Amino acid sequence: MESKELLDTMENSTKVNNRIGDHKWDKYLDDYFNYFKEYKKHYNKSVEGNSKSLSIYPYMQQKWESLKRRISRAHKYNRLNDKQIERLIVMKIKEY
């Protein structure tokens, strides 16, 4: 009986810790999606020859890649919950 209670307690504490981290990863996913939209806008303008977008685009690309790596590592190490993974899949589909 004690081991079952201990297991339940451990599961509940993991869920609470995961909820705290969920908010952080939700923010990162929001940042990733918003930055992607801005990145795509400047990419399209740079293709058209806009000089301002051409100068901003390389820096935006580096930051976007950094955000993408952070999200990928979170997924790899199971830091994201199911809802966040679904959001990530939808974002990946919109990228292409």
Side-chain angles (χ1 to χ4, degrees), residues 28-83:
Y28 281 137
L29 287 170
D30 291 341
D31 291 346
Y32 177 78
F33 185 67
N34 291 332
Y35 202 81
F36 173 71
K37 288 191 298 189
E38 190 71 20
Y39 170 80
K40 193 172 180 178
K41 181 177 81 172
H42 281 286
Y43 171 78
N44 289 334
K45 285 183 178 181
S46 67
V47 169
E48 294 171 359
N50 184 317
S51 61
K52 181 180 176 185
S53 291
L54 280 170
S55 64
I56 293 174
Y57 176 74
Y59 302 105
M60 291 192 74
Q61 183 179 16
Q62 287 178 347
K63 184 170 180 179
W64 182 65
E65 290 292 329
S66 173
L67 286 169
K68 192 164 85 170
R69 278 193 306 273
R70 179 178 285 166
I71 299 293
S72 295
R73 275 186 275 158
H75 179 62
K76 179 181 176 182
Y77 294 111
N78 298 320
R79 303 275 192 239
L80 304 177
N81 62 28
D82 293 340
K83 185 178 176 184

